[in-house]
Amino acid sequence: MESWGKFRRGLRREDQEALDELFRAARLQLAGSAYAARPIPFESIAMCMLLAQHRMIADLEHRVKRLEAAHDEDTDNHRVAV
Amino acid sequence: MTKTRTITGWLFDLYPSREGITLWLVDRDGAKYRCHDGFDPWFYMHIPEADEERVGAIVRLFPFRVSLDRTVRREIYTNDEWNVLRVTVHDTLHLKDVVRRLEPHFPHFVFFDSDISPQQLYLYRTGLFPLAFAEYTLDEEGRLISWNLDDDPGALEYQLPPLVTMTLKNVPDFVSPKYRKTHQLEVGYDGRTYALENEDPAEVIASLNRHLTRCDPDIIMTEFGDAVLLPMLTRIAAQEEIPLALNRDPSAGYFTTGETSYFAYGKIVHKDGAFELAGRWHLDTENSFMMGEASLDGVAEIARLTQLPVQHQSRSTIGSALSSMQLSWASRHGYLIPAKKREPEEFKSASTLLLADRGGLIFQPVMGFHEQIAEMDFVSMYPTIMVRHNISPETVNCRCCRNRAVPELGYTICERREGIVPATLRTVVSKRASYKKMKKALKRTGDEQWKLYDRRQNALKWMLVTCFGYLGYKNARFGRIEAHESVNAFSREAILRAKEIAEERGYRFIHAIVDCMWLWKEGATESDYESLAVEVRESVGMDISLEGIYNWILFPSSKMDPRIPTANRYVGWYANNEIKIRGIEVRRRDTPVFIKRLQGEMLQIFGAAATVAELEELIPAALAKAGEAISLLRSGTANPLELVIRRHLTREPEEYTTNTASAGAAKALDEAGVHLAPGEMVEYIIVDLSGKKKPAKALPVPLYESAEGYDIETYTDMALKAVETLLLPFGYDVGKLREVFGCSLQKKKRQAASGSEGQGSLFDS
């Protein structure tokens, strides 16, 4: 993580925060990285970041679908009322 | 025809003497018998016959007899027979001298069995053990000629002799005697205590002697007896030229060793030197890991099992207890015991190194409060792996087999012989399991028998907890890093298998640390988890048990970064109304009592909650409780003794370059003439962490006066953080708590009492 210090320094504040968030994601998956013990640790770190991204997208999709469903129901109800 | 007599009783104490080994027996009535046995200890040297004359030339210089002969013993790693020179020393008191004289002339790896005390060698070679119950037969000169053992170190039901205990301590209790210069003694026995106070030291010694004669204790229990009390008493007695009757055997001396500081598990540990008695046990509750953890029953259990004499055992690290079992086993099986560790790590390719150099697996917890979580633990995971898979330094990558039995790493484990580590651990594992079963069968009545089994199993537990570390420890006699790595590989395999099984059954894997896991499944009951345990047991081949189901459990966030979780910090209430706490303030040794109580009281309030929703309703009550404590703290009238911080020193006081509170306190003590070594505890009260208002940031307890007050802001911050640990998931961070308790930083200037005006330097960063 320290080795990305220069990279981080060259980012805008809001991007720095996003980068920190990504590295935080990597720290949530200790077991996978430890068990795989890949020769280039960054591979595991990058995979953890991708995983976190994917999980977040999936969660958001799920929420969007739920909200859409609720919204459709709402408008349906509205129509009936009209 | 000589007359003999038989004593039915216990082996109480033994030590080297002019007669060989002196032994003390105790019978059922508590009567003591001194006897002796001729014993000529020996050790081995693996040197060619051509070099024998060099040994002969050296040992001939001794005024006692040392004899040499050749014999055949096995070398443990290769299992080869070696032709070795046996050096027999016909004087137990001088075994060490002979070894020391020879050592400079030969490389250390030619010595075997040479650094073990004569009394241990005697026990290994006779099969006797401390507190062994037998019919001992003595001749009329007091020589032990035979015994008929009615006892076994593996026995689960055994009795201890009736023993008389005397407590001996310095008063007053408040300051540990290490820091003190005046001496008053307190002697306790038969339910009474006597204060020995006199200006004249000779009078103190004389009256202590009177008490020793009247009480005739078997055990002298002290606090800091090793480091301070007994050395001081013997010194005074010598100055006053009064013989001090601490020993039951007046012809024997005291057995003492120097103090040491050493590294263990990444932490500096300090041990005071030993002060052992002859014919009596001196047990120092402050210098004994075992006395603290498991009490006398535990000490006795370990001494019997490991054949380490009680006084020695109570002071030794758990590692030496295990090591003693291994030495005894090696001795019984004709193996040479290397004097010093000499097995180097084998060459490993880079990729093996990567795969090998890892510990157990940790799955970070899902942060925050949860309900209906079950915790399941593998029972004694590491020792069980060693026993089950025969993992030992000499069995991993042996020369005779080829099976790549170790997962991930592909190391081979010997199938032909049982390793020394599993062979000795097996007894410990099975004894502990039996005690636990016996305890369970008694139900939780809290009666004496239940407590006895519990103390014994607890003592064994500590042996099992540490056994793993010693496998890879470079100074362990029988340790090798590949064995250590193999155990880890099996452990990772086990927890992953358990995870897979649980997930297949629809459980969510909330958290796992090496050998325990936290699971959740909607509506799962105790019997669901029990059947999961059965499945895991069958698949993995190791016992896993349901620790319990939590009404609620909190996995707090990291102190460094509130957005990430940390492993091994949690608190929760089980449905059976028991609380389990790991790593948070109330459990930490360095937390002041005041803060511990504050957090403890909040947890007590939350104990009434069966669900997280109920817990949330209890927050106002818990906050009110915390508020009371915080306003007391901020009024400056909290008891400073409850604000004492205890820290282990990590280096010599003068080596500290940074000006931390503990460094300052240690240096202040040093200047006052009390030297603390690394690993020792320094106790202090923070008076001004900013260092701006007062000359010292913190004062060590012995130099503290209540007029000094305490650093209100620093302690307030500690208190707020302890509250935050519990309530952050509900949005209460330190900032919000300041609002709640009305102690925001702007108001800090207005404080009363003797306390320093806090500068809040902790908050500045």
Side-chain angles (χ1 to χ4, degrees):
Chain A
M1 193 162 169
E2 293 78 41
S3 63
W4 287 85
K6 287 175 88 173
F7 180 86
R8 186 180 184 277
R9 199 175 171 198
L11 296 179
R12 287 186 192 86
R13 167 68 70 88
E14 55 269 34
D15 291 328
Q16 285 181 346
E17 279 167 14
L19 183 75
D20 293 348
E21 197 66 47
L22 283 174
F23 274 103
R24 214 170 276 130
R27 291 179 60 180
L28 292 177
Q29 300 291 351
L30 299 178
S33 310
Y35 187 61
R38 299 178 70 87
I40 301 167
F42 184 71
E43 291 179 354
S44 292
I45 294 175
M47 188 55 78
C48 288
M49 294 173 174
L50 279 172
L51 245 170
Q53 293 261 298
H54 192 80
R55 280 287 305 267
M56 193 192 285
I57 293 168
D59 286 349
L60 289 173
E61 270 181 348
H62 186 70
R63 279 179 63 187
V64 167
K65 272 194 193 130
R66 247 194 9 231
L67 287 170
E68 277 176 353
H71 179 75
D72 288 351
E73 224 172 82
D74 255 14
T75 40
D76 285 350
N77 291 345
H78 192 63
R79 273 189 207 120
V80 173
V82 168
Chain B
M1 168 121 187
T2 51
K3 274 202 285 183
T4 61
R5 62 175 180 159
T6 301
I7 293 153
T8 307
W10 293 266
L11 172 58
F12 175 70
D13 192 21
L14 76 162
Y15 45 88
S17 64
R18 241 161 295 154
E19 289 103 354
I21 296 286
T22 292
L23 306 105
W24 285 83
L25 308 174
V26 192
D27 69 14
R28 284 207 174 92
D29 301 322
K32 278 66 143 172
Y33 306 87
R34 181 183 186 278
C35 58
H36 58 87
D37 195 359
F39 177 60
D40 296 325
W42 64 85
F43 61 93
Y44 304 98
M45 295 177 73
H46 184 230
I47 50 173
E49 285 181 35
D51 279 351
E52 250 179 70
E53 192 31 45
R54 291 171 59 205
V55 178
I58 293 167
V59 299
R60 270 196 295 278
L61 298 174
F62 283 104
F64 43 84
R65 202 154 69 85
V66 178
S67 49
L68 308 177
D69 64 337
R70 305 278 322 180
T71 182
V72 169
R73 305 284 284 175
R74 275 187 190 277
E75 196 276 333
I76 192 155
Y77 289 96
T78 56
N79 212 20
D80 289 343
E81 288 195 331
W82 281 7
N83 185 293
V84 289
L85 178 71
R86 174 161 56 190
V87 184
T88 307
V89 181
H90 300 268
D91 184 340
T92 46
L93 293 170
H94 292 100
L95 172 64
K96 230 184 195 169
D97 298 337
V98 175
V99 175
R100 269 203 213 121
R101 189 72 67 84
L102 286 168
E103 269 172 349
H105 302 281
F106 298 91
H108 68 84
F109 55 78
V110 310
F111 291 90
F112 292 89
D113 295 42
S114 61
D115 52 357
I116 305 166
S117 72
Q119 56 269 46
Q120 268 169 269
L121 289 172
Y122 176 80
L123 292 174
Y124 300 156
R125 284 165 194 172
T126 56
L128 278 173
F129 52 94
L131 298 167
F133 188 80
E135 283 176 6
Y136 297 92
T137 307
L138 315 184
D139 71 10
E140 53 195 358
E141 274 145 27
R143 194 192 317 270
L144 177 63
I145 45 179
S146 68
W147 56 84
N148 189 3
L149 258 188
D150 185 19
D151 198 356
D152 170 351
L156 294 165
E157 300 279 14
Y158 57 86
Q159 303 223 303
L160 296 183
L163 297 174
V164 178
T165 303
M166 172 192 259
T167 58
L168 183 63
K169 59 181 175 186
N170 263 345
V171 278
D173 269 332
F174 169 50
V175 181
S176 93
K178 264 206 137 155
Y179 304 147
R180 230 190 2 251
K181 288 181 175 166
T182 55
H183 310 293
Q184 299 156 286
L185 291 182
E186 193 182 280
V187 177
Y189 54 93
D190 291 338
R192 298 182 59 178
T193 54
Y194 306 85
L196 311 188
E197 279 184 61
N198 205 299
E199 293 289 297
D200 181 6
E203 203 35 59
V204 173
I205 299 293
S207 85
L208 176 59
N209 273 341
R210 278 195 296 279
H211 283 291
L212 284 166
T213 313
R214 178 147 36 117
C215 167
D216 189 21
D218 301 304
I219 304 172
I220 299 181
M221 196 87 81
T222 69
E223 286 167 23
F224 295 105
D226 281 336
V228 187
L229 196 53
L230 299 197
M232 172 198 94
L233 289 172
T234 47
R235 202 168 51 237
I236 297 174
Q239 279 163 10
E240 304 293 327
E241 297 181 350
I242 307 171
L244 179 60
L246 286 174
N247 274 345
R248 183 171 266 148
D249 183 346
S251 68
Y254 305 113
F255 304 94
T256 58
T257 60
E259 58 178 335
T260 47
S261 295
Y262 57 93
F263 253 109
Y265 304 100
K267 192 165 109 179
I268 273 216
V269 178
H270 176 85
K271 272 192 75 65
D272 288 333
F275 197 105
E276 298 180 14
L277 304 177
R280 280 195 178 112
W281 297 344
H282 168 223
L283 303 178
D284 181 344
T285 52
E286 294 293 325
N287 195 28
S288 165
F289 176 70
M290 287 308 301
M291 281 307 291
E293 294 293 342
S295 85
L296 198 57
D297 288 322
V299 169
E301 170 72 26
I302 305 286
R304 288 170 51 95
L305 189 60
T306 62
Q307 294 177 288
L308 274 179
V310 169
Q311 297 190 73
H312 189 70
Q313 192 278 118
S314 81
R315 285 166 179 81
S316 64
T317 60
I318 292 289
S320 19
L322 272 171
S323 163
S324 178
M325 288 184 79
Q326 295 170 355
L327 300 183
S328 181
W329 186 91
S331 171
R332 278 199 307 280
H333 289 80
Y335 283 108
L336 293 164
I337 300 167
K340 276 178 189 148
K341 163 81 182 147
R342 58 196 191 82
E343 183 75 359
E345 275 190 45
E346 273 170 29
F347 176 79
K348 272 179 291 225
S349 73
S351 66
T352 317
L353 202 63
L354 254 170
L355 284 172
D357 195 19
R358 295 164 295 153
L361 288 185
I362 291 169
F363 288 84
Q364 292 280 37
V366 180
M367 268 192 298
F369 282 93
H370 303 262
E371 54 192 38
Q372 295 304 309
I373 299 269
E375 179 183 340
M376 299 179 85
D377 295 3
F378 279 104
V379 182
S380 306
M381 180 191 243
Y382 285 155
T384 306
I385 288 175
M386 291 180 230
V387 170
R388 192 180 141 81
H389 298 286
N390 194 27
I391 298 177
S392 200
E394 77 281 19
T395 56
V396 172
N397 287 340
C398 63
R399 294 185 307 186
C400 49
C401 310
R402 212 161 174 78
N403 52 31
R404 301 178 57 84
V406 181
E408 301 177 60
L409 308 175
Y411 296 161
T412 282
I413 300 175
C414 190
E415 294 160 14
R416 296 195 183 175
R417 60 174 171 148
E418 183 177 35
I420 186 168
V421 169
T424 46
L425 270 181
R426 190 182 299 279
T427 330
V428 188
V429 172
S430 70
K431 263 199 116 172
R432 174 161 186 248
S434 304
Y435 282 133
K436 283 181 83 172
K437 255 188 223 132
M438 288 154 74
K439 184 179 94 167
K440 221 174 180 175
L442 286 173
K443 297 280 187 304
R444 188 154 197 169
T445 51
D447 67 357
E448 274 312 305
Q449 200 63 20
W450 188 93
K451 284 187 204 152
L452 174 73
Y453 293 148
D454 191 53
R455 286 193 286 259
R456 288 185 189 163
Q457 73 86 14
N458 228 347
L460 297 174
K461 175 182 167 180
W462 283 106
M463 282 179 79
L464 295 178
V465 168
T466 47
C467 71
F468 171 61
Y470 275 82
L471 255 189
Y473 178 46
K474 75 175 184 332
N475 291 324
R477 243 180 255 263
F478 300 108
R480 207 170 83 180
I481 195 72
E482 289 83 355
H484 184 98
E485 293 163 1
S486 302
V487 175
N488 267 327
F490 278 108
S491 105
R492 291 190 291 266
E493 192 61 31
I495 196 83
L496 284 173
R497 258 323 277 149
K499 168 182 161 295
E500 283 152 10
I501 295 167
E503 284 178 342
E504 276 164 32
R505 303 284 167 276
Y507 292 91
R508 242 192 106 194
F509 204 65
I510 302 294
H511 177 37
I513 316 169
V514 186
D515 58 351
C516 29
M517 55 183 190
W518 285 259
L519 302 173
W520 177 81
K521 184 172 153 182
E522 182 87 62
T525 62
E526 202 163 303
S527 70
D528 293 331
Y529 287 107
E530 294 292 359
S531 60
L532 179 66
V534 172
E535 256 182 278
V536 172
R537 199 173 302 145
E538 275 163 13
S539 167
V540 181
M542 276 196 288
D543 259 1
I544 191 164
S545 69
L546 174 65
E547 279 290 294
I549 299 178
Y550 291 93
N551 278 342
W552 59 263
I553 185 168
L554 165 68
F555 295 109
S557 59
S558 154
K559 289 261 154 196
M560 312 297 285
D561 183 344
R563 282 163 296 188
I564 61 170
T566 55
N568 223 8
R569 284 179 72 220
Y570 57 90
V571 54
W573 278 94
Y574 284 117
N576 70 0
N577 221 16
E578 272 178 47
I579 191 167
K580 185 161 180 186
I581 308 171
R582 290 290 179 275
I584 70 166
E585 288 85 348
V586 65
R587 256 292 283 255
R588 294 180 56 90
R589 266 201 260 169
D590 52 1
T591 310
V593 175
F594 189 92
I595 310 288
K596 281 189 182 179
R597 191 172 46 229
L598 183 160
Q599 201 180 47
E601 282 172 346
M602 292 180 74
L603 288 172
Q604 211 59 48
I605 290 172
F606 291 147
T611 64
V612 175
E614 283 180 30
L615 185 143
E616 200 167 358
E617 284 168 22
L618 291 168
I619 290 177
L623 280 175
K625 195 81 198 169
E628 285 169 26
I630 287 172
S631 31
L632 175 65
L633 192 59
R634 297 188 64 77
S635 72
T637 54
N639 180 358
L641 290 183
E642 296 189 341
L643 299 174
V644 172
I645 295 173
R646 309 181 74 195
R647 284 271 162 80
H648 284 286
L649 287 183
T650 51
R651 57 192 82 185
E652 292 288 341
E654 64 274 12
E655 287 170 6
Y656 278 97
T657 47
T658 51
N659 186 18
T660 62
S662 37
K667 281 180 192 164
L669 273 178
D670 209 32
E671 281 160 23
V674 180
H675 179 77
L676 294 181
E680 284 196 273
M681 196 75 92
V682 59
E683 300 181 327
Y684 57 88
I685 294 165
I686 295 178
V687 290
D688 177 26
L689 198 62
S690 69
K692 288 175 190 157
K693 300 269 165 160
K694 302 225 171 191
K697 287 185 174 181
L699 290 172
V701 173
L703 304 179
Y704 179 85
E705 284 166 31
S706 54
E708 301 284 352
Y710 52 86
D711 186 336
I712 291 181
E713 289 305 332
T714 297
Y715 284 105
T716 300
D717 195 57
M718 275 185 215
L720 294 175
K721 284 198 168 136
V723 179
E724 184 194 62
T725 301
L726 302 184
L727 293 183
L728 189 61
F730 295 108
Y732 292 92
D733 59 11
V734 167
K736 183 164 175 191
L737 289 168
R738 282 188 180 283
E739 286 170 31
V740 171
F741 296 127
C743 49
S744 54
L745 282 173
Q746 288 75 13
K747 293 183 194 163
K748 72 186 174 192
K749 285 278 142 57
R750 236 175 292 126
Q751 281 140 32
S754 49
S756 70
E757 290 198 358
Q759 289 299 304
S761 65
L762 278 184
F763 321 131
D764 294 344
S765 54

